Amino acid sequence: QKEVEQNSGPLSVPEGAIASLNCTYSDRGSQSFFWYRQYSGKSPELIMSIYSNGDKEDGRFTAQLNKASQYVSLLIRDSQPSDSATYLCAVNDYNNNDMRFGAGTRLTVKP
Amino acid sequence: NAGVTQTPKFQVLKTGQSMTLQCAQDMNHNSMYWYRQDPGMGLRLIYYSASEGTTDKGEVPNGYNVSRLNKREFSLRLESAAPSQTSVYFCASPDRTNTGELFFGEGSRLTVL
């Protein structure tokens, strides 16, 4: 069984702080890694994708991937109340058409 | 450009009733997926279609059937709805030529009484 694990939270941080979200996965054949943001009652939207070990930065967001440890994380710098949402980690074994999602971490940014 | 469109957005069924969720994408993608989302369990894959004319079971296929009518459309059918199928259903389509990003429909909230 291919598993993607996330802390369900809730994670609460003050406005302006760094929010750190973590994800582990069980399938060593995984090739693509994604972070989606989902506001309450809405569909998930992609915020970051990462395919190789190391860091990838996009504005206030940084994704980190460590395939040896089977670990992927998302850092949100200068957190804003508008970042309050559930963050879903997704892992894809491209060859098997199998995008697996974690249960999500609910983040609250307090003004 | 609508992306992924699914209908209906809301539906209430009685146990044993049947219904079909419709999904269409206008991005010319080959693959289409159906997920369900339950509290605390994330998104779970029900069925997927890698290309027109093909369908395969995902993680939780029991109680569902699918039809890939053409490249644009992928429907999900509940033949005899059960309360355990109360969930939010998402249709999605991946961009395999670029990032692999999944594009989601707006979701269909189904309640089975």
Side-chain angles (χ1 to χ4, degrees), chain A residues 1-61:
Chain A
Q1 184 75 2
K2 301 174 183 177
E3 301 289 344
V4 180
E5 302 285 344
Q6 295 181 252
N7 291 328
S8 61
L11 174 65
S12 182
V13 301
E15 183 174 358
I18 295 175
S20 178
L21 305 165
N22 303 314
C23 173
T24 59
Y25 60 94
S26 63
D27 182 14
R28 289 194 171 274
S30 302
Q31 299 179 2
S32 306
F33 307 86
F34 305 88
W35 283 99
Y36 286 83
R37 177 176 62 200
Q38 187 176 25
Y39 293 114
S40 181
K42 302 295 186 181
S43 57
E45 57 180 337
L46 182 73
I47 53 172
M48 289 289 286
S49 58
I50 187 166
Y51 306 98
S52 56
N53 282 330
D55 295 359
K56 179 182 178 182
E57 185 175 321
D58 184 0
R60 295 186 296 111
F61 299 96

Side-chain angles (χ1 to χ4, degrees), chain B:
Chain B
N1 187 350
V4 179
T5 304
Q6 57 180 108
T7 57
K9 289 186 170 51
F10 300 94
Q11 184 73 48
V12 178
L13 292 176
K14 295 180 179 178
T15 297
Q17 288 185 317
S18 62
M19 76 158 297
T20 299
L21 300 175
Q22 306 285 357
C23 176
Q25 52 95 6
D26 62 4
M27 299 174 287
N28 201 37
H29 291 169
N30 287 320
S31 299
M32 297 182 74
Y33 298 167
W34 275 106
Y35 287 93
R36 61 177 288 173
Q37 187 174 35
D38 303 294
M41 301 194 73
L43 288 153
R44 291 182 292 169
L45 185 64
I46 304 170
Y47 270 93
Y48 67 93
S49 171
S51 62
E52 184 179 352
T54 68
T55 61
D56 286 286
K57 295 179 180 179
E59 186 182 357
V60 287
N62 291 343
Y64 305 95
N65 286 303
V66 291
S67 295
R68 184 72 183 270
L69 305 172
N70 48 54
K71 192 172 186 178
R72 290 187 66 249
E73 298 173 290
F74 188 38
S75 63
L76 178 71
R77 182 162 179 83
L78 287 69
E79 292 289 353
S80 179
S84 61
Q85 294 177 304
T86 294
S87 188
V88 180
Y89 292 85
F90 288 100
C91 179
S93 184
D95 177 11
R96 293 207 175 281
T97 62
N98 192 6
T99 64
E101 172 184 359
L102 271 177
F103 291 86
F104 286 88
E106 292 185 341
S108 299
R109 184 175 294 274
L110 174 65
T111 301
V112 183
L113 303 175

Side-chain angles (χ1 to χ4, degrees), chain A residues 33-104:
Chain A
F33 307 86
F34 305 88
W35 283 99
Y36 286 83
R37 177 176 62 200
Q38 187 176 25
Y39 293 114
S40 181
K42 302 295 186 181
S43 57
E45 57 180 337
L46 182 73
I47 53 172
M48 289 289 286
S49 58
I50 187 166
Y51 306 98
S52 56
N53 282 330
D55 295 359
K56 179 182 178 182
E57 185 175 321
D58 184 0
R60 295 186 296 111
F61 299 96
T62 299
Q64 300 173 316
L65 174 61
N66 184 326
K67 289 187 178 180
S69 300
Q70 296 175 247
Y71 175 89
V72 58
S73 66
L74 179 71
L75 299 177
I76 306 174
R77 291 182 299 281
D78 188 24
S79 295
Q80 301 297 309
S82 59
D83 294 326
S84 297
T86 296
Y87 289 80
L88 301 169
C89 173
V91 174
N92 193 22
D93 177 352
Y94 186 95
N95 292 329
N96 289 334
N97 288 293
D98 195 359
M99 178 84 86
R100 296 281 178 146
F101 285 82

